[in-house]
Amino acid sequence: MTSSTSNNLPTAANPGPFGHVQRKNFVFPDNFTQYNHGSFGAFPKVVQDDMLSWHHYAEKDIDRWMRRELRPALADVRARVADLIHCDKDELALVTNTTMGVNTVLRSLSFQPGDKILQLSTGYASVDKTVRYICDTYKGVELIEVPITFPMTDQEIVDKVENAVKAQQQLKDGSRIKLAMVDWISSVPSIVHPVKQLVEMLQGYGILVYVDGAHAIGQAHVDLTDVHPDFLLPTVTSVRGSAVLYVAKRHQDLIHPTSITADYKTGFENEFGWAGTQDYSSLMSIRAALDFRKQLGGEDPIISYTHSLAVEGGKIIAKILGTEGLTPQDHDHQIGNMVNIRLPLKNVNHPKANAQYFMDTLMDRFNAYTPAFKHGEQWYTRVSAQIYLELQDFTRIGEIWKAVIDELNAE
């Protein structure tokens, strides 16, 4: 946390060090604006340069790097992330991406007939498929999917999940919910969930909780002295191929890497400290990503600016389209730095109304892109706010979407 107060933090109206002046720190061409860092990220030049420097450094003496220097270097990365999210570095493992993280946990845990896994219908697709793979692999293991259709209040989300848990308890057939998969911030639609309430409620029923935190850092204050999941997977603005898996110490004897090495059963830190012969420069770039964030003032100003930009920018797009966002009016806290705006299609089942058509049209005709998705029988787009964007960028993407939808409505 920084010493900044809410009175002097940057906002969409007063960007301070943010906005278009930050474009110089990224590699975007002058004629392109990135509106979708929510999918694959957008890392700064200095982070890319740092990754390349580690790559070159390793090649100068690969034995020295791999055999003597790598593990201490990765331990330092874990220590820096631990300082950011307030946990013990020995509770963290470095993995290549969020998909690897969820596979690590789900494929390490042992499931028995009668075990069930609970997840929300708005969970990330790869997480959903991994859960279904586990249910297909283990005889007698079943999925409980809680249907979620936004807009919903925080309490409605918690109540709906708890009602599913209570319904399972009433079966009294010897089955149980062993594990629950919860988003800190869901992907599509992008909604900040009441994660603390969900974790505490689920654990109160004796259920293990995996929190998908892929979108959390930079949109929310991740503090593991306040929220206590069993497992958590966050990412930072490092080079792709780098993520962090949190495993509470009480569960570490259960969790092993998806690729078993000679360090099997030598302890959690050792097992995850060496993933075999590979390029570790992406993982090392996490240090530069964290340094870059500190140079901007830390998490408070980043979150303040991008949240304000998403809220105000979303209003601009909604006004242009004549529609609305996907959160209740008094629930702006459900918006991180990604905002969902309804697309005013007269016929939501128009034959061209599909994600591929929208992507091709935006990319080929307008050199822009925000993902379109269907939720609750309506089409929405998710627009990501970032430190290099300003309100006028939201006006532009709103006008682009208006042109695309007006054309379909005229057919």
Side-chain angles (χ1 to χ4, degrees):
M1 300 288 286
T2 71
S3 59
S4 300
T5 68
S6 59
N7 292 330
N8 58 18
L9 288 172
T11 64
N14 298 288
F18 300 127
H20 292 164
V21 295
Q22 285 292 335
R23 282 183 60 93
K24 67 181 184 297
N25 289 319
F26 295 82
V27 298
F28 309 128
D30 291 340
N31 67 340
F32 176 72
T33 298
Q34 173 59 279
Y35 291 100
N36 186 39
H37 73 273
S39 287
F40 306 112
F43 48 82
K45 292 177 185 176
V46 293
V47 177
Q48 184 181 52
D49 291 343
D50 184 75
M51 180 271 291
L52 292 171
S53 71
W54 283 108
H55 179 83
H56 293 150
Y57 177 80
E59 291 306 308
K60 290 178 180 179
D61 189 341
I62 193 62
D63 278 291
R64 180 181 298 272
W65 170 243
M66 289 288 197
R67 297 178 185 274
R68 295 178 60 180
E69 299 176 346
L70 176 62
R71 286 180 186 267
L74 294 178
D76 180 64
V77 172
R78 290 188 292 112
R80 296 190 186 202
V81 177
D83 182 63
L84 175 68
I85 64 176
H86 307 289
C87 68
D88 189 321
K89 72 176 179 62
D90 294 334
E91 294 175 301
L92 300 178
L94 300 177
V95 293
T96 52
N97 54 45
T98 56
T99 303
M100 177 67 74
V102 72
N103 273 268
T104 296
V105 173
L106 283 173
R107 298 175 76 170
S108 289
L109 294 175
S110 177
F111 294 90
Q112 305 298 326
D115 286 346
K116 297 184 180 182
I117 304 174
L118 180 146
Q119 68 176 9
L120 279 62
S121 63
T122 47
Y124 187 58
S126 292
V127 175
D128 169 70
K129 295 299 184 182
T130 306
V131 169
R132 293 177 187 276
Y133 168 82
I134 295 298
C135 293
D136 290 343
T137 302
Y138 286 90
K139 183 179 180 179
V141 176
E142 298 179 4
L143 166 67
I144 296 176
E145 184 168 274
V146 182
I148 298 292
T149 303
F150 294 104
M152 293 176 67
T153 66
D154 290 351
Q155 192 59 52
E156 287 171 340
I157 297 170
V158 174
D159 288 346
K160 193 151 193 177
V161 174
E162 186 168 20
N163 287 339
V165 174
K166 289 179 177 178
Q168 163 60 33
Q169 286 188 323
Q170 291 173 0
L171 296 177
K172 300 185 185 304
D173 59 358
S175 63
R176 62 163 183 167
I177 299 174
K178 177 171 182 174
L179 176 69
M181 314 296 289
V182 174
D183 282 308
W184 198 308
I185 302 173
S186 54
S187 177
V188 285
S190 177
I191 300 291
V192 179
H193 286 49
V195 65
K196 181 177 180 178
Q197 298 96 305
L198 286 169
V199 168
E200 291 177 350
M201 180 271 292
L202 289 162
Q203 289 177 338
Y205 286 97
I207 299 170
L208 296 174
V209 183
Y210 178 102
V211 174
D212 184 350
H215 293 295
I217 293 177
Q219 299 195 64
H221 291 290
V222 180
D223 183 352
L224 294 183
T225 66
D226 182 49
V227 181
H228 304 284
D230 297 285
F231 313 100
L232 170 71
L233 197 293
T235 61
V236 295
T237 49
S238 50
V239 174
R240 296 173 196 95
S242 56
V244 183
L245 173 64
Y246 165 85
V247 178
K249 287 187 177 181
R250 60 187 179 275
H251 302 308
Q252 290 184 356
D253 61 323
L254 304 175
I255 306 301
H256 304 281
T258 53
S259 297
I260 300 300
T261 70
D263 292 305
Y264 177 58
K265 286 191 175 181
T266 61
F268 181 81
E269 182 178 359
N270 275 340
E271 287 195 47
F272 283 93
W274 168 255
T277 302
Q278 67 176 47
D279 188 342
Y280 290 86
S281 57
S282 292
L283 294 174
M284 291 305 303
S285 76
I286 292 174
R287 303 200 321 175
L290 296 176
D291 288 343
F292 181 77
R293 303 175 79 87
K294 287 182 179 179
Q295 291 170 8
L296 296 175
E299 299 305 294
D300 283 358
I302 293 171
I303 292 172
S304 173
Y305 180 70
T306 56
H307 169 70
S308 173
L309 188 61
V311 171
E312 298 306 319
K315 293 176 182 177
I316 288 174
I317 297 173
K319 184 175 181 180
I320 291 171
L321 297 179
T323 61
E324 67 288 323
L326 196 50
T327 53
Q329 289 187 351
D330 60 344
H331 270 53
D332 280 353
H333 64 273
Q334 288 187 347
I335 301 172
N337 62 28
M338 298 187 289
V339 62
N340 317 280
I341 304 299
R342 184 171 66 84
L343 300 173
L345 267 172
K346 292 180 180 178
N347 177 11
V348 296
N349 297 313
H350 191 290
K352 290 182 180 178
N354 60 73
Q356 186 69 44
Y357 171 81
F358 289 134
M359 180 181 73
D360 292 343
T361 301
L362 264 67
M363 287 185 176
D364 295 343
R365 289 173 51 185
F366 300 98
N367 193 31
Y369 176 68
T370 62
F373 60 93
K374 205 171 186 181
H375 181 74
E377 299 304 316
Q378 294 291 331
W379 279 95
Y380 292 83
T381 188
R382 184 193 74 186
V383 184
S384 301
Q386 190 46 288
I387 61 170
Y388 48 75
L389 295 176
E390 296 182 3
L391 287 174
Q392 66 191 71
D393 298 309
F394 283 75
T395 299
R396 176 174 177 262
I397 195 65
E399 291 173 344
I400 288 172
W401 269 113
K402 186 177 187 305
V404 172
I405 299 303
D406 283 353
E407 185 176 284
L408 289 184
N409 285 339
E411 292 183 357

